[in-house]
Amino acid sequence: ESVVTFRQGGISVESSQIPNVERIATYLRNHKAATVSIKGYASPEGSVEVNARIAAARAEAVKTILVNKYKINASRITAEGQGVGDMFTEPDWNRVSICTIED
């Protein structure tokens, strides 16, 4: 599992988060049958509709990098928004995409 964090309202993967994406790409390159599920989340600020859009865009942003930069076949990646995250007690920490490898 790898976590990619985002700024409040942000949907772009910042350069500081690229190593987290690269870890997933390396695993997928070395394990050809593996797939990855990316779930995007937002913190609770803002409306439900906006947070749903942001969460989906975050998951797609990670997928786009895996496909375009690391040449991972898109069919091996699922990306979906989950709305507001509640995994962490600190609301800001819920601005993430969580990537889970499935063998």
Side-chain angles (χ1 to χ4, degrees):
E1 192 170 87
S2 187
V3 175
V4 177
T5 60
F6 294 83
R7 290 183 189 262
Q8 184 171 356
I11 58 171
S12 297
V13 177
E14 295 188 8
S15 60
S16 65
Q17 297 300 306
I18 293 297
N20 298 337
V21 179
E22 189 168 350
R23 236 185 326 273
I24 296 295
T26 299
Y27 189 92
L28 291 173
R29 278 198 202 124
N30 294 334
H31 300 85
K32 300 295 184 195
T35 60
V36 63
S37 172
I38 305 168
K39 297 188 183 306
Y41 297 90
S43 56
E45 303 86 9
S47 71
V48 171
E49 296 80 18
V50 169
N51 284 332
R53 257 196 328 274
I54 288 172
R58 288 175 175 164
E60 285 297 327
V62 175
K63 178 178 180 175
T64 297
I65 291 171
L66 287 170
V67 171
N68 293 345
K69 181 174 183 175
Y70 297 104
K71 307 303 182 206
I72 304 299
N73 190 312
S75 67
R76 298 175 64 196
I77 306 166
T78 58
E80 59 186 7
Q82 301 295 303
V84 172
D86 63 358
M87 297 81 57
F88 305 105
T89 54
E90 181 64 41
D92 291 355
W93 297 352
N94 289 301
R95 290 188 212 115
V96 298
S97 282
I98 298 178
C99 307
T100 305
I101 297 284
E102 299 154 1
D103 282 316

